[in-house]
Amino acid sequence: MLLLHRPVVLGLRQAFRSTPSRLCIQTCSTNDSLQPQHPIRNFSGDNCSTRGWKVMGTLLGLGAVLAYHDHRCRAAQKPPHMYTKEEVSSHRSPETGIWVTLGCEVFDVTEFVDLHPGGPSKLILAAGGPLEPFWALYDFHNQPHVRELLAKYKIGDLSPEDNVSPTLETSDPYADDPKRHPALKVNSQRPFNAEPPLELLTETYITPNPIFFTRNHLPVPNLDPDTYRLHVVGAPGHPSLCLSLDDLCKFPKHEITVTLQCAGNRRSEMMQIKEVKGLGWRTGAISTACWAGARLCDVLAQAGHQLSDTEAHVCFEGLDCDSTGTAYGASIPLARALNPEAEVLLAYEMNGQPLPRDHGFPVRVVVPGVVGARHVKWLGRVSVEADESHSHWQRRDYKGFCPSVDWDTVDFDSAPSIQELPVQSAITEPRDGETIESGDVTVKGYAWSGGGRAVIRVDVSLDGGLTWQAAELDGEEQRPRKAWAWRLWQLQAPVPAGQKELNIVCKAVDDSYNVQPDTVAPIWNLRGVLSNAWHRVRVRVAP
């Protein structure tokens, strides 16, 4: 008995002296029966041994409970496992596991992917990296119950060494480029060019700034808004203007919603026909924002410019330049620039915020209805000239040619510069190669036409163009001849019985009854621009 009593009592003494164990019992134990209800009395006579064994049983049980709770508390106090960013980034698929980070914490959300309310594809976009850039797009993530749900999947913390900011390589002209959203699908790093993923492209009518498609030709300048000046060359007999950002803000503020599209949007489809020179843009080189700034016509009028009987052009020069000092430049006709109805802006706000650096901070040109190449960013100089800009990107790029023209026979002087773009549409849901369930299929996408021409219809086919259905148009109502922004559209239709595959096609029609061509080959050109054939997506139907 004594041999049995001694270790138990010693263990109990240690347990009761341990502050964590006492705290653990107080906070974790919800069973009052674990606590002794009566003091231990002296015992004598024949029942003494029996009562002693009962007490010993109680003490042994209490000792086991104390030891278990003590073990749990000590385990909770152990430092979390540390992971490097490299380790996290290697977990990007269901096969390796889906890991993400939030702050300095690491989470394995593999089992939650299929339960994600926004769909698995949205969560997988963040796989192997931080959640913050994605949560910033949608405020509803920043709620207590979401944090509590995520906490269940925590597996450790990020290594402190991975929180150190990298040093800046001053010899690299791109070293000072801004940070980008990890969801962007990168087509080139230097200069940076990227498009939003289809899962997010048409999620909202207005494209969030962080995932707005980015088209840069040169390193991004880092400009000081306090010392920034815009030089506007005056008309003959009128002084030139040197405008600070504050000066520009004194002009009447004008706001418009405008879709920007790169001339090379959907170039990747032309690459499947024959080799072209250019970035392999998919369907995401297009985005929509609400822009605000001074109207170009007001600024030009203050500099003394007015319409003339002869053709003239407004030339823009950016503050981004290459190693030789050559800046990006472009031009638009003076008639468009001076027309108040054309609503050309010198924009300093994008979706209610100062322009992001990648999108022209502090001032850029926004030319509604015109190809993105003319929306010069980081604007430094404006002048009115008899000829269009002599910039390479105006004279020797962004022009369309006959499919038979190659790099040995091309004559850039023979073709006009692209200004207004043709009618366009594309499917963003479902994805090409995706497997869908039988029953109903939901098809979503965007449609837009240049020159302010409104999209009046989007036709969708589930059988490669044999039969068609009209999609429902969403988004803002469009003003005649001032339809500067896209229409989002969707169609919900039954999957034909017995079909194992769908060949989904869309085509848009604008208010001039322009319609997209059915195939790519007849519009192929050596630069891969103006790619606007019917957009096609093939999906499998689950048995």
Side-chain angles (χ1 to χ4, degrees), residues 352-373:
Q353 300 176 348
L355 295 176
R357 281 185 61 203
D358 258 332
H359 299 290
F361 179 82
V363 177
R364 73 171 299 164
V365 184
V366 174
V367 192
V370 168
V371 64

Side-chain angles (χ1 to χ4, degrees), residues 175-199:
D176 197 29
D177 270 17
K179 291 183 178 180
R180 278 87 183 206
H181 197 284
L184 290 171
K185 302 298 183 182
V186 179
N187 289 317
S188 73
Q189 285 284 1
R190 299 161 170 266
F192 187 79
N193 292 280
E195 56 192 295
L198 293 183
E199 295 89 341

Side-chain angles (χ1 to χ4, degrees), residues 402-467:
C402 173
S404 63
V405 173
D406 58 27
W407 289 99
D408 294 326
T409 60
V410 64
D411 177 10
F412 277 95
D413 292 330
S414 67
S417 301
I418 299 172
Q419 293 285 343
E420 298 178 2
L421 286 169
V423 64
Q424 175 73 281
S425 72
I427 299 164
T428 58
E429 184 184 324
R431 298 289 303 273
D432 189 50
E434 187 176 330
T435 298
I436 63 170
E437 298 296 325
S438 57
D440 286 351
V441 60
T442 299
V443 186
K444 296 181 180 181
Y446 64 78
W448 181 78
S449 191
R453 292 179 287 276
V455 171
I456 60 171
R457 196 177 78 240
V458 174
D459 301 328
V460 180
S461 173
L462 303 183
D463 53 17
L466 297 177
T467 60

Side-chain angles (χ1 to χ4, degrees), residues 174-443:
Y174 293 96
D176 197 29
D177 270 17
K179 291 183 178 180
R180 278 87 183 206
H181 197 284
L184 290 171
K185 302 298 183 182
V186 179
N187 289 317
S188 73
Q189 285 284 1
R190 299 161 170 266
F192 187 79
N193 292 280
E195 56 192 295
L198 293 183
E199 295 89 341
L200 301 179
L201 179 58
T202 54
E203 188 81 3
T204 55
Y205 181 72
I206 298 295
T207 311
N209 290 358
I211 60 169
F212 200 98
F213 92 94
T214 301
R215 176 66 174 110
N216 293 337
H217 298 83
L218 299 163
V220 176
N222 195 353
L223 303 175
D224 183 350
D226 294 330
T227 59
Y228 168 80
R229 295 294 182 270
L230 172 62
H231 298 275
V232 183
V233 178
H238 292 79
S240 296
L241 307 179
C242 182
L243 303 174
S244 67
L245 189 56
D246 287 340
D247 293 332
L248 203 59
C249 291
K250 292 175 184 177
F251 286 87
K253 186 177 182 180
H254 193 68
E255 296 185 14
I256 46 172
T257 302
V258 176
T259 293
L260 268 63
Q261 181 181 216
C262 179
N265 192 29
R266 298 179 58 194
R267 178 181 284 130
S268 58
E269 295 166 53
M270 286 192 173
M271 289 176 164
Q272 296 173 16
I273 303 299
K274 194 165 55 173
E275 183 182 358
V276 300
K277 288 188 177 180
L279 298 172
W281 295 105
R282 295 170 287 274
T283 53
I286 183 171
S287 298
T288 299
C290 180
W291 308 91
R295 295 190 303 179
L296 178 59
C297 62
D298 294 338
V299 175
L300 289 177
Q302 184 162 319
H305 294 288
Q306 56 186 346
L307 282 175
S308 62
D309 295 334
T310 58
E311 184 179 4
H313 303 262
V314 178
C315 299
F316 307 114
E317 188 175 291
L319 293 170
D320 51 332
C321 56
D322 62 19
S323 57
T324 68
T326 302
Y328 183 86
S331 61
I332 62 173
L334 177 63
R336 183 184 292 273
L338 286 178
N339 182 3
E341 295 299 306
E343 300 185 283
V344 182
L345 288 187
L346 302 182
Y348 45 76
E349 286 183 7
M350 179 180 179
N351 293 332
Q353 300 176 348
L355 295 176
R357 281 185 61 203
D358 258 332
H359 299 290
F361 179 82
V363 177
R364 73 171 299 164
V365 184
V366 174
V367 192
V370 168
V371 64
R374 313 302 167 216
H375 299 235
V376 175
K377 299 187 283 188
W378 313 289
L379 187 63
R381 187 175 189 272
V382 178
S383 62
V384 176
E385 310 290 348
D387 298 315
E388 66 178 358
S389 171
H390 288 274
S391 165
H392 164 84
W393 293 280
Q394 186 81 23
R395 298 290 184 103
R396 293 291 179 268
D397 203 351
Y398 298 117
K399 296 184 177 185
F401 297 94
C402 173
S404 63
V405 173
D406 58 27
W407 289 99
D408 294 326
T409 60
V410 64
D411 177 10
F412 277 95
D413 292 330
S414 67
S417 301
I418 299 172
Q419 293 285 343
E420 298 178 2
L421 286 169
V423 64
Q424 175 73 281
S425 72
I427 299 164
T428 58
E429 184 184 324
R431 298 289 303 273
D432 189 50
E434 187 176 330
T435 298
I436 63 170
E437 298 296 325
S438 57
D440 286 351
V441 60
T442 299
V443 186

